[in-house]
Amino acid sequence: MAYPSPLNELATRVAETRPDRLNQAFPRLTAEEKDKLLHEYHPDYRADTFSTLRVGPNAGDRTPRELALLLEGESLLKGTNIALDHPDYDCDVLVIGGGGAGCAAALIAEDLGAKVLVATKLRLGDANTMMAQGGIQAADKENDSPAIHYLDVLGGGHFANIPELVETLVTDAPEAIQWLEELGVMFDKNPDGSMKTIHGGGTSRKRMHTARDYTGAEIMRTLRDEVKSRPQITVLEFSPAVELLTDSTGATTGAVLLNLNLSGNAFSRDYHYTVVRAKTVIIATGGSGRLHYQGFPTSNHYGATGDGLVLAYRAGARLAFIDTMQYHPTGVAYPQQIIGQLVTEKVRSLGAQLLNIDGQQFIYPLETRDVVASAIIRECQQGKGVVTPGNISGVWLDTPMIEILRGPGTVKKELPAMVRQFARFGIELDKEPILVYPTLHYQNGGVAIDPDCRTNVPFLFVAGEASGGVHGRNRLMGNSLLDVIVFGRRAGAAAAQNARARGSNLELTLKHLEKWDQELQKQRIAPATKSPLILPDYTKKEA
Amino acid sequence: MAENMIDIYIMGEHHRVPDSLTILQALEYAGYRLIRGVGCRGGFCGACATVYRVVGDYHLKFALACQTKVEPNMQLAMIPYFPAHQPRYRLSELKGTAQEVLDIYPEMLTCYGCNTCTKSCPQEIDVLGYVSAIVRGDIPLAADISFDCIMCGLCVSRCPAELVKHHAALLCRRIYGKFLAPRSEHLKQRIQEIKSGKFNAAIAELKNMPQAELKKLYANRDIEPEE
């Protein structure tokens, strides 16, 4: 046992109630009960943590304070004088972001003959996609159908989802899986070739396709390898976009990138910018968990600072569902070194139960994520949580139950990444329960798109977590990996086609910034910060 | 709770940091604003591969900075980027044979089995095991053993024969996934069904359904049992 003794004693209570819980199914909540739980305990309903936007296409809408600050921020380029008439790069399709959606978009655009440039903030593939463990949904089994998948997505999203986007997601899904297979992704299969599929929270069929518990990593490293194999795709790493370029009609014509390697270090006096002229631009910058809304820890990648939303918003793109974030119910609450990191939902899919300090179940473990997260927050607020040495509260996730239900060795076989992660801190998942608390996980909203990833800004496309609408107010497990592939592919195709139809005589300006400044002045807003954020600052602070 | 402070050395410079931190957190605590050598912070991306020593011990040790706690008298160095050869190939133009892996990565045959790679792997992968499988032409085994690789490149940095193992392993996994794994008949069939419009009516019905009715349908949907 690696737990300190007070926790160790509490863990033995979990072991004591285990025989009783073996055949005990905690009842699912009714729709009314779920609704009440969400309103009382879900962070989205904490009014004091939200701000109302004052400028831009979403003026009047509420969003977390941390995001509002950046959306109403001042351009990093203000006061600089960048020559735009001799761009450093020229391409048909500029993809901003090198995660799953960006790489998928780049590959399809290249398939269609486009000259593609991928600009990414960190290394190619350093993205939330890499960290998705649980799986990717697709209704391809006999007892399942895209229509059943559709209903699950809508129910999970509280029926707020944009129907056309959901339809696209579920009907493109099997083809997305096949495309990944063709690229060499190793899905878990039975000897006859049929996909091994499991349940996720809120799924009515077992339609979660997995690659052990490295599903996202397996997809991402495959896409990255394929992108690198194509000479028609140029990749600029450590080059986040800091502003879009537009012409006098407001249409997108490229972007200004910041060269992180050359900028802001002891050897360089200035910031180094790269100007890219592009016939079409795809924003695939992912989410914003690193903004730590409401002080929550996050499961997100270091680069998840919502930059794409800021860029798009200043250029006039409308955002959707930016008042709802997903808190993954099971983030690590102990040990302290990995607080906020994800405990994949697959753990609950395999049979682990959630327990309070008394070793009692308090929620059906496979309710949708927002409902489970709310129930955990409730237990902790009502004093039924377990307080860790780091002075945060959590609840137990009874992983040894998996071994009892599914046979010895299941934990090591099905959850190798997690076993390894906890073993590093002396905790044996197959023998000891672990402590969890909700962690900021996903940006449900983003830039509003249509099924071809078009935004209201001409020639600007958005795909993946930076877009909003497909998941409504809550996303189901396995639908974000699906989202990045389905809409990444669609964005790549639409952008390549639109680039072909557009002349090469593009006007590169930052005129939209002037308009933005006028709006700020009109509203008497003095921006409190510069944006996009680019990277969080953890110096002299613990992450 | 009072922090227990320890002495560490970053790029040779002395710092005092709480002993509860990971190497990555310690670097940030010391004031480094990281651009390279940091990624997912969750042990999945391999960006924060690091090498360290402990004062008085000549051994070099290897770790992921985001997954390893600091220890007293650690001497840390970040490896922001380790150059590794990566030949270009188009998977779609391959046939999926073991020979192709050796044609693309001929240096794999020069492995002399010292096992330094395995010892340097922060994922505890049997690296030599999969290199041997590649040499023997057993792609499924190489794909299986290397599956948990996060491509940090530490094995390459230490290999006296300079093999680029992690990239060769990726090629094996891609070949396995595309050419050798059995195909899903149900997947092919479903794609056909979707293309033929089999589900259009059912989805259109859901799209046009009043929300109250949808909610009822959702609440009463049948759920596939666990077992």
Side-chain angles (χ1 to χ4, degrees):
Chain A
M1 279 278 183
Y3 287 116
S5 23
L7 290 183
N8 217 349
E9 278 158 35
L10 293 171
T12 56
R13 279 197 219 172
V14 171
E16 281 162 18
T17 60
R18 204 169 283 141
D20 286 342
R21 286 184 282 109
L22 188 56
N23 296 310
Q24 178 202 77
F26 196 90
R28 287 169 192 264
L29 300 182
T30 64
E32 293 72 32
E33 286 168 335
K34 282 185 213 170
D35 217 39
K36 186 164 178 286
L37 186 60
L38 289 174
H39 276 83
E40 286 178 8
Y41 293 101
H42 196 278
D44 277 359
Y45 294 91
R46 280 198 52 188
D48 59 326
T49 65
F50 285 80
S51 295
T52 301
L53 290 171
R54 294 165 294 177
V55 288
N58 289 74
D61 288 355
R62 57 170 224 145
T63 195
R65 209 182 273 156
E66 297 83 353
L67 182 57
L69 198 66
L70 294 175
L71 288 175
E72 294 185 345
E74 183 176 85
S75 173
L76 292 163
L77 298 184
K78 185 146 191 205
T80 61
N81 194 7
I82 298 174
L84 300 174
D85 41 355
H86 296 290
D88 302 284
Y89 291 91
D90 220 334
C91 61
D92 297 320
V93 178
L94 167 63
V95 181
I96 302 173
C103 286
L107 290 173
I108 296 295
E110 197 261 6
D111 281 347
L112 294 173
K115 189 178 162 199
V116 181
L117 191 144
V118 180
T120 177
K121 177 156 62 183
L122 298 165
R123 303 177 310 171
L124 187 69
D126 278 352
N128 279 335
T129 303
M130 188 66 95
M131 308 170 75
Q133 291 176 254
I136 176 166
Q137 287 199 41
D140 54 28
K141 290 280 179 81
E142 210 173 312
N143 70 341
D144 200 359
S145 83
I148 299 173
H149 190 178
Y150 180 97
L151 187 60
D152 284 350
V153 176
L154 231 65
H158 302 296
F159 305 92
N161 323 48
I162 308 294
E164 289 70 30
L165 296 180
V166 182
E167 181 182 15
T168 304
L169 182 81
V170 300
T171 49
D172 279 13
E175 217 176 317
I177 299 286
Q178 193 181 53
W179 183 68
L180 292 172
E181 235 188 339
E182 281 297 315
L183 290 170
V185 169
M186 272 174 67
F187 286 110
D188 296 336
K189 290 179 177 180
N190 297 305
D192 68 352
S194 60
M195 295 280 182
K196 283 189 189 171
T197 51
I198 57 169
H199 266 306
T203 56
S204 66
R205 296 291 184 276
K206 293 181 192 171
R207 72 167 77 87
M208 201 71 61
H209 299 59
T210 55
R212 304 186 197 177
D213 60 348
Y214 283 98
T215 312
E218 165 66 356
I219 290 173
M220 191 68 252
R221 63 196 179 191
T222 302
L223 293 176
R224 177 175 61 193
D225 194 52
E226 184 66 19
V227 167
K228 285 186 175 173
S229 78
R230 303 201 187 183
Q232 283 302 307
I233 303 177
T234 302
V235 178
L236 299 180
E237 295 183 318
F238 298 96
S239 298
V242 293
E243 211 65 68
L244 293 176
L245 294 168
T246 52
D247 63 18
S248 39
T249 69
T252 319
T253 52
V256 178
L257 316 176
L258 176 67
N259 183 326
L260 285 183
N261 288 326
L262 293 179
S263 299
N265 70 46
F267 305 103
S268 90
R269 282 169 301 149
D270 299 307
Y271 284 84
H272 289 248
Y273 295 103
T274 306
V275 176
V276 181
R277 175 166 59 197
K279 292 179 183 171
T280 54
V281 176
I282 300 172
I283 287 180
T285 50
S288 58
R290 287 280 155 194
L291 300 184
H292 294 287
Y293 301 123
Q294 302 186 23
F296 267 84
T298 183
S299 62
N300 277 197
H301 194 278
Y302 186 53
T305 50
D307 298 358
L309 303 189
V310 174
L311 301 183
Y313 196 62
R314 275 209 282 258
R318 196 170 55 78
L319 308 178
F321 297 95
I322 45 163
D323 59 338
T324 162
M325 301 294 155
Q326 182 167 81
Y327 297 81
H328 193 290
T330 56
V332 175
Y334 182 89
Q336 206 170 341
Q337 294 82 10
I338 52 172
I339 280 176
Q341 282 177 28
L342 207 63
V343 175
T344 170
E345 193 162 306
K346 192 174 168 190
V347 178
R348 281 172 289 138
S349 300
L350 289 168
Q353 297 165 335
L354 286 161
L355 314 169
N356 61 22
I357 191 168
D358 302 319
Q360 302 301 333
Q361 291 199 73
F362 55 87
I363 188 76
Y364 174 70
L366 292 178
E367 299 281 9
T368 52
R369 288 177 170 177
D370 50 355
V371 170
V372 179
S374 302
I376 294 173
I377 292 170
R378 179 193 64 203
E379 290 303 296
C380 292
Q381 283 186 10
Q382 292 181 348
K384 290 282 188 181
V386 175
V387 180
T388 70
N391 212 20
I392 67 159
S393 250
V395 298
W396 294 110
L397 183 59
D398 193 15
T399 42
M401 188 60 115
I402 298 171
E403 297 277 294
I404 298 170
L405 290 172
R406 295 183 184 247
T410 309
V411 166
K412 284 204 171 81
K413 184 163 170 287
E414 298 287 337
L415 302 163
M418 269 200 62
V419 167
R420 181 176 288 123
Q421 187 165 49
F422 277 84
R424 280 171 177 141
F425 301 98
I427 295 168
E428 294 177 87
L429 280 190
D430 52 349
K431 299 190 181 70
E432 301 159 288
I434 55 173
L435 285 166
V436 295
Y437 189 76
T439 183
L440 181 54
H441 186 54
Y442 192 78
Q443 169 184 287
N444 291 325
V447 184
I449 55 165
D450 74 4
D452 283 321
C453 303
R454 270 189 293 258
T455 67
N456 60 308
V457 175
F459 302 103
L460 178 65
F461 301 79
V462 180
E465 193 173 345
S467 74
V470 64
H471 306 294
R473 306 196 64 81
N474 175 58
R475 177 182 60 80
L476 298 184
M477 165 196 185
N479 277 343
S480 75
L481 276 182
L482 180 59
D483 173 356
V484 298
I485 302 303
V486 163
F487 290 97
R489 278 162 46 92
R490 283 185 161 249
Q497 279 151 9
N498 276 264
R500 206 178 294 158
R502 197 180 195 189
S504 49
N505 192 16
L506 301 177
E507 183 194 6
L508 272 53
T509 80
L510 288 164
K511 279 184 183 148
H512 64 280
L513 288 185
E514 292 164 24
K515 210 174 124 197
W516 178 258
D517 276 348
Q518 283 162 12
E519 253 199 272
L520 286 174
Q521 275 164 22
K522 205 159 71 184
Q523 299 295 327
R524 297 208 172 82
I525 298 170
T529 188
K530 292 207 176 231
S531 62
L533 183 63
I534 303 179
L535 288 171
D537 183 6
Y538 295 127
T539 53
K540 289 283 177 194
K541 281 179 286 184
E542 285 178 43
Chain B
M1 212 165 45
E3 296 269 29
N4 189 22
M5 304 297 280
I6 58 170
D7 296 307
I8 63 165
Y9 300 85
I10 302 171
M11 321 286 178
E13 190 179 85
H14 173 247
H15 292 274
R16 273 181 80 73
V17 301
D19 68 351
S20 62
L21 303 184
T22 62
I23 292 173
L24 193 69
Q25 290 165 340
L27 289 165
E28 289 174 336
Y29 185 91
Y32 287 82
R33 187 173 163 269
L34 302 173
I35 292 170
R36 285 187 179 268
V38 57
C40 73
R41 308 176 77 104
F44 281 93
C45 76
C48 63
T50 190
V51 173
Y52 66 93
R53 279 183 53 235
V54 175
V55 175
D57 182 349
Y58 69 88
H59 285 105
L60 281 179
K61 297 180 180 181
F62 307 92
L64 296 177
C66 75
Q67 298 290 298
T68 311
K69 271 169 77 169
V70 285
E71 54 179 286
N73 296 316
M74 227 177 197
Q75 294 194 320
L76 287 166
M78 296 298 285
I79 311 180
Y81 169 70
F82 193 85
H85 169 64
Q86 188 174 12
R88 266 193 175 149
Y89 54 81
R90 287 295 279 258
L91 193 73
S92 57
E93 289 160 11
L94 301 184
K95 294 186 180 65
T97 65
Q99 186 58 46
E100 283 168 325
V101 179
L102 294 175
D103 289 346
I104 293 169
Y105 292 98
E107 67 275 18
M108 297 309 279
L109 293 167
T110 66
C111 170
Y112 50 85
C114 71
N115 208 27
T116 309
C117 49
T118 306
K119 288 181 207 153
S120 64
C121 178
Q123 290 282 91
E124 294 159 343
I125 293 170
D126 177 9
V127 185
L128 180 61
Y130 82 66
V131 171
S132 310
I134 291 174
V135 171
R136 289 198 309 272
D138 190 343
I139 294 204
L141 185 64
D144 182 55
I145 298 176
S146 71
F147 195 84
D148 292 5
C149 173
I150 55 173
M151 309 194 71
C152 68
L154 282 172
C155 58
V156 180
S157 75
R158 291 291 279 161
C159 179
E162 301 175 302
L163 308 184
V164 190
K165 303 156 190 70
H166 61 316
H167 288 160
L170 177 62
L171 175 58
C172 291
R173 291 193 300 274
R174 292 191 65 191
I175 285 180
Y176 182 81
K178 180 177 170 65
F179 299 102
L180 307 179
R183 280 305 160 114
S184 292
E185 288 309 315
H186 62 87
L187 181 61
K188 278 187 216 158
Q189 197 183 330
R190 180 53 43 87
I191 292 168
Q192 278 309 316
E193 288 169 347
I194 290 171
K195 283 191 173 146
S196 72
K198 184 176 171 182
F199 306 104
N200 292 357
I203 292 178
E205 196 187 327
L206 292 173
K207 270 173 78 186
N208 296 321
M209 200 177 273
Q211 205 179 88
E213 237 177 282
L214 258 181
K215 283 185 174 169
K216 213 187 289 170
L217 198 64
Y218 178 74
N220 297 323
R221 80 211 148 117
D222 62 303
I223 294 174
E224 181 177 0
E226 267 302 327
E227 284 311 317

